[in-house]
Amino acid sequence: MSKNPHPTIDPTKMGLGRSIAVLTSGGDAQGMNAAVRATVRVGLYTGAKVYFVHEGGTVIGSARCKDFRAREGRMKAACNLVKLGITNLCVIGGDGSLTGANQFRTEWSGLLVDLVKAGKITEEEAKKSSHLNIVGMVGSIDNDFCGTDMTIGTDSALHRIIEVVDAIATTAQSHQRTFILEVMGRHCGYLALVTALACGADWVFIPEMPPDDGWENHLCRRLADQRARGCRLNVIIVAEGAMSRDGKPITSDQIKKLVTDRLSFDTRTTVLGHVQRGGTPSAFDRILGSRMGVEAVMALLEATPDTPACVVSLSGNHAVRLPLMECVQVTKDVTAAMAEGRFEDAIKLRGKSFENNWNTYTLLAHINPPDVKSNINVAVMNVGAPCAGMNAAVRAAVRMGLIQGHNMLAVHDGFDGLAQGQVEPITWTSVSGWTGKGGSVLGTKRTLPAKILEDISLNIAKFNIHALVIIGGFEAYMGGLELVQAREKYEEMCIPMVVIPATVSNNVPGSDFSIGADTALNTITSTCDRIKQSAAGTKRRVFIVETMGGYCGYLATMAGLAAGADAAYIFEEKIAIKDLEMNVVHLVEKMKTTVKRGLILRNENCNANYTTDFIFNLYSEEGKGIFDCRKNVLGHMQQGGTPTPFDRNFGTKMGAKSVLWITDKLKQCYRHGRIFANTPDSACVLGMRKRALTFQPLADLKGDTDFEHRIPKTQWWLKIRPIMKILAKYDIKLDTSERTDMEHVIKKRSPLGM
């Protein structure tokens, strides 16, 4: 981000005299409508005229247009735009659509000349429309566009796939079956790869990395080995574009025949097909689409004739703009690498996110623990409230530790369990199937270690624990700090420690995201959808929904953005009676439109006096005769449920990365025949910071912590709160003093992705 050279510009006047057209093209993807909605509403907010290009599913229709491929078709399109005075085009689609849009922009001057010659437009009209700005948003469930972490629709497609995997898992375990699941991805294996990571599949076939020759024997050996270990379920994931090293297709039917003939296993295949494109978008895709729509409008209105056509996307949680044709070129390079048999290059060209997913998958699924042991004991524990994704992190940490040759120990019931000696070995098969389990299998408590340090130190010595992985929320962070402070008195605490943030509240200092927050966010969003639907018949109704989060307003804010709320009250942004009055006036006006319902979210601790009951009573009184009110306190349903694909994948990556760090740290701390770690960097929080997974010393994070309210002092998501208000049609000012610079593809990739 860099400072805008014109920071005083009024964002509500940026688009005056300008016209923007928005179109969706190519295959439909969940979340496109959120992107369209944001583009339209922010465009109108800036004072611009906004047009739909129909059939361009989404609300406005999505189509693959053959006419546009011919120059005559593009001339017709240019003529239509010129006649309406449109010189800004927002295109939501895949690489084909965006390449076509860029070609259209490149030809624009020539098309205008031909239109003037043909008498279709005047010289004056051509002069007014002399330059066409194009900004793209990538809508594709395959996530096959290089340069972007996540394309709109990918996360929702993963939700559909994982729902099926979870359903299949229960029936397959009952009958001791092998299931082969074919997912979309003709040229890109992203969906297959992340599905394999998220469900702990035995094997995955992707086009970027065909299996080695003789894979048939290897696959059968692996399945037989898993069955011999007591595993009742085998899962094989196949991308529709999977192929062998010599370029021949590998089909799900071919794999089924192999497994049935060689092993006589009861085997079933499921081909998901277009179910992956359907359904409601996930919270992630709604937020992605909304944020990208805002960024697209800003990119269009800030563009000059010298600005190349760009795509807007997220890198980690950071909005970025990338030259469209750079992204297209790298995407083509991947295809070329696969065609030429340069499969390692293909994986790398897909970007860091894809490469890390592949490396994590191969480590966790394809390597048996070594015969030579390290004689290191690593303990894993859960601390604080349970959340979805904790078990995925434990599984990855355990298996990565075993792969490193360590002995892995499970600590039950948090610091209480460590003090009471509830410690036992945990094996490879102990954690089978844990990625999809909600809650905490190990058991977890909120107890902090300060008052039981003596017992904890005795058990660290008794079980000869050399390193500690603490997975949990703010209590895990606080507990880690207390253990570090206790190093002065207890030498047993001088071991490497890592805290992995896992809490629905997303309030752990040192990380922009916590495991479990995405699952809670989807629960709130889907519940809000149902609540709003219940008013479809009655109309003129306002719902007040209370969310969890402690003093952290992340869930209320992001669910508000995802569910299209009219307001979200949070602790971090103080509310006064005038704010409540403004919201009531806003809702009264809204009831005069075609949308006769309202949604207000309230964080549980946003204000001690303006309680959910108070707000409900206030709105009920002020809305008499205009609208009636209902209130819903969502409670502990936000902590339950099976983890989303994001939380399974995030937990898996965090768990694996934490143990690799510990292994490295143990080598550094090994002195005179024993482990001794007392430097600040030997006790860290592993967190997602903007674009990277980073280890930050616990001691360094104290300065950024509001201990009274259990939240970080700086929180990235507060900057996107105005987007929710603008999309709800409030008259507020959007801060444009910071703007996103154009970046380049190679410099950009994030290790998180999804």
Side-chain angles (χ1 to χ4, degrees):
M1 301 283 273
S2 68
K3 288 288 174 186
N4 192 324
H6 308 292
T8 55
I9 191 166
D10 182 351
T12 60
K13 294 183 171 57
M14 282 177 75
L16 288 176
R18 311 276 291 276
S19 294
I20 298 171
V22 56
L23 67 92
T24 56
S25 178
D28 60 320
Q30 309 96 315
M32 276 185 169
N33 292 327
V36 171
R37 170 179 177 263
T39 305
V40 170
R41 291 197 169 175
V42 175
L44 294 172
Y45 166 82
T46 65
K49 274 188 180 178
V50 185
Y51 294 85
F52 281 154
V53 180
H54 286 276
E55 299 304 337
T58 66
V59 172
I60 60 173
S62 184
R64 293 179 165 99
C65 179
K66 289 179 182 175
D67 286 353
F68 196 79
R69 291 176 186 171
R71 186 175 169 84
E72 293 76 22
R74 294 194 291 277
M75 273 186 71
K76 278 186 200 172
C79 186
N80 290 333
L81 293 180
V82 170
K83 290 294 182 186
L84 292 168
I86 297 167
T87 55
N88 298 284
L89 197 56
C90 177
V91 182
I92 307 168
D95 61 339
S97 305
L98 297 177
T99 303
N102 189 69
Q103 183 184 358
F104 187 46
R105 180 181 189 263
T106 307
E107 293 178 348
W108 183 255
S109 299
L111 293 171
L112 295 190
V113 169
D114 290 353
L115 286 169
V116 171
K117 280 182 186 172
K120 299 282 179 70
I121 62 170
T122 65
E123 289 274 7
E124 185 62 28
E125 285 174 324
K127 192 175 178 182
K128 280 185 184 174
S129 302
S130 61
H131 178 70
L132 179 69
N133 293 321
I134 285 184
V135 170
M137 285 182 268
V138 192
S140 164
I141 68 164
D142 293 339
N143 203 29
D144 57 355
F145 195 78
C146 292
T148 62
D149 271 356
M150 286 287 276
T151 57
I152 296 168
T154 303
D155 187 62
S156 301
L158 286 167
H159 274 251
R160 299 296 90 75
I161 296 166
I162 291 299
E163 284 165 15
V164 173
V165 170
D166 286 349
I168 282 172
T170 52
T171 180
Q173 281 185 329
S174 303
H175 297 278
Q176 205 166 2
R177 281 180 176 150
T178 297
F179 259 93
I180 301 161
L181 188 72
E182 185 180 302
V183 300
M184 283 186 169
R186 202 174 307 136
H187 306 294
C188 178
Y190 186 87
L191 289 178
L193 178 54
V194 174
T195 300
L197 260 183
C199 73
D202 297 287
W203 200 283
V204 65
F205 291 91
I206 60 171
E208 289 88 349
M209 184 58 77
D212 293 331
D213 293 338
W215 62 266
E216 296 89 346
N217 295 332
H218 188 178
L219 171 61
C220 291
R221 198 166 56 246
R222 166 155 290 281
L223 297 180
D225 180 46
Q226 289 291 85
R227 196 62 67 90
R229 287 179 175 184
C231 182
R232 295 181 59 83
L233 165 68
N234 298 117
V235 177
I236 300 166
I237 309 295
V238 188
E240 62 177 326
M243 58 182 181
S244 61
R245 293 260 157 181
D246 56 3
K248 292 176 182 171
I250 295 176
T251 66
S252 45
D253 286 339
Q254 180 186 341
I255 300 164
K256 179 185 176 182
K257 187 175 187 310
L258 170 72
V259 175
T260 307
D261 291 351
R262 292 263 194 103
L263 300 173
S264 300
F265 284 0
D266 187 3
T267 307
R268 299 285 190 276
T269 60
T270 302
V271 179
L272 281 185
H274 279 72
V275 71
Q276 295 160 87
R277 287 194 186 280
T280 55
S282 65
F284 183 98
D285 273 330
R286 298 179 195 205
I287 294 164
L288 177 64
S290 299
R291 290 186 68 187
M292 293 307 93
V294 175
E295 189 62 35
V297 172
M298 293 301 149
L300 282 171
L301 298 182
E302 289 169 5
T304 68
D306 299 324
T307 308
C310 74
V311 288
V312 294
S313 184
L314 282 187
S315 170
N317 62 20
H318 201 67
V320 292
R321 300 176 192 174
L322 299 159
L324 192 156
M325 289 318 291
E326 274 189 27
C327 298
V328 169
Q329 187 54 53
V330 178
T331 305
K332 287 179 177 174
D333 290 346
V334 175
T335 308
M338 289 192 286
E340 294 164 15
R342 295 182 289 109
F343 301 114
E344 294 286 349
D345 288 347
I347 293 276
K348 282 185 167 61
L349 285 164
R350 281 274 180 232
K352 264 289 184 221
S353 168
F354 194 98
E355 188 180 358
N356 285 352
N357 280 329
W358 176 253
N359 291 339
T360 305
Y361 168 75
T362 51
L363 274 173
L364 293 177
H366 281 213
I367 297 180
N368 288 321
D371 295 328
V372 180
K373 300 294 182 186
S374 66
N375 294 321
I376 292 292
N377 300 318
V378 179
V380 184
M381 64 196 298
N382 292 157
V383 175
C387 71
M390 271 184 165
N391 298 319
V394 172
R395 171 187 173 272
V398 167
R399 290 199 168 176
M400 189 58 79
L402 294 172
I403 287 162
Q404 301 297 311
H406 308 325
N407 300 308
M408 300 303 293
L409 301 172
V411 180
H412 298 280
D413 296 339
F415 290 116
D416 267 350
L418 187 55
Q420 293 162 16
Q422 292 174 244
V423 182
E424 63 179 4
I426 187 164
T427 64
W428 187 276
T429 50
S430 302
V431 293
S432 290
W434 279 29
T435 48
K437 288 184 178 178
S440 166
V441 178
L442 290 182
T444 181
K445 287 190 177 178
R446 293 179 182 270
T447 310
L448 291 173
K451 294 179 182 176
I452 48 176
L453 287 169
E454 188 74 36
D455 292 333
I456 287 174
S457 67
L458 288 171
N459 279 315
I460 288 176
K462 177 183 173 183
F463 292 97
N464 200 19
I465 295 169
H466 300 110
L468 197 53
V469 178
I470 307 168
I471 302 165
F474 202 84
E475 288 88 357
Y477 168 72
M478 285 287 292
L481 276 173
E482 289 179 8
L483 293 183
V484 169
Q485 285 159 4
R487 282 175 168 177
E488 293 176 14
K489 186 177 177 184
Y490 300 98
E491 200 174 289
E492 292 83 0
M493 309 295 184
C494 294
I495 56 174
M497 303 175 204
V498 62
V499 173
I500 298 177
T503 167
V504 300
S505 302
N506 196 31
N507 64 335
V508 178
S511 190
D512 294 344
F513 295 109
S514 294
I515 297 164
D518 186 69
T519 303
L521 192 53
N522 277 279
T523 300
I524 299 166
T525 304
S526 60
T527 305
C528 288
D529 285 352
R530 292 178 184 182
I531 286 170
K532 287 200 296 184
Q533 236 172 11
S534 73
T538 52
K539 299 185 178 179
R540 296 184 185 279
R541 182 164 285 175
V542 173
F543 294 95
I544 292 129
V545 177
E546 183 185 297
T547 68
M548 277 184 165
Y551 286 95
C552 179
Y554 176 82
L555 286 180
T557 297
M558 290 310 209
L561 186 55
D566 295 282
Y569 301 133
I570 63 169
F571 170 78
E572 293 91 343
E573 198 173 272
K574 305 303 177 194
I575 52 171
I577 197 71
K578 68 178 189 320
D579 299 306
L580 299 174
E581 185 184 6
M582 181 180 75
N583 294 148
V584 170
V585 170
H586 170 81
L587 287 166
V588 168
E589 290 302 309
K590 189 178 181 182
M591 295 301 155
K592 296 175 184 175
T593 70
T594 54
V595 184
K596 300 185 188 302
R597 60 177 184 250
L599 176 66
I600 305 291
L601 295 179
R602 179 188 175 275
N603 163 258
E604 58 185 345
N605 287 339
C606 76
N607 189 293
N609 296 310
Y610 298 148
T611 62
T612 301
D613 286 338
F614 174 90
I615 292 170
F616 168 71
N617 291 333
L618 176 73
Y619 275 57
S620 297
E621 181 62 31
E622 295 297 319
K624 267 185 183 172
I626 304 166
F627 57 78
D628 62 357
C629 289
R630 297 289 186 273
K631 68 179 174 187
N632 296 264
V633 178
L634 299 186
H636 281 73
M637 66 184 290
Q638 295 161 83
Q639 285 183 343
T642 55
T644 57
F646 183 97
D647 278 332
R648 296 180 196 206
N649 191 9
F650 192 33
T652 298
K653 285 184 177 178
M654 296 278 269
K657 195 173 180 75
S658 69
V659 173
L660 290 173
W661 176 84
I662 276 176
T663 303
D664 187 51
K665 195 58 67 177
L666 284 165
K667 290 171 186 170
Q668 297 173 25
C669 300
Y670 188 78
R671 294 191 191 96
H672 312 299
R674 68 191 187 105
I675 305 296
F676 186 78
N678 68 344
T679 56
D681 68 352
S682 64
C684 288
V685 170
L686 170 56
M688 174 69 188
R689 282 294 205 187
K690 287 190 177 175
R691 307 192 190 189
L693 290 175
T694 57
F695 291 90
Q696 301 141 95
L698 280 157
D700 291 359
L701 294 168
K702 287 170 73 175
D704 189 39
T705 306
D706 176 349
F707 286 99
E708 182 188 351
H709 299 105
R710 297 159 53 94
I711 53 174
K713 289 179 182 175
T714 51
Q715 300 185 91
W716 66 272
W717 51 267
L718 285 169
K719 285 189 176 179
I720 65 172
R721 271 183 67 79
I723 295 174
M724 182 187 70
K725 295 177 183 176
I726 290 167
L727 296 182
K729 296 180 77 173
Y730 279 92
D731 184 17
I732 67 155
K733 289 287 183 282
L734 183 65
D735 180 11
T736 57
S737 61
E738 285 191 347
R739 59 181 283 264
T740 307
D741 287 329
M742 187 82 79
E743 298 189 11
H744 295 280
V745 181
I746 308 305
K747 293 179 184 175
K748 191 217 123 252
R749 296 295 292 185
S750 154
L752 175 63
M754 220 312 295

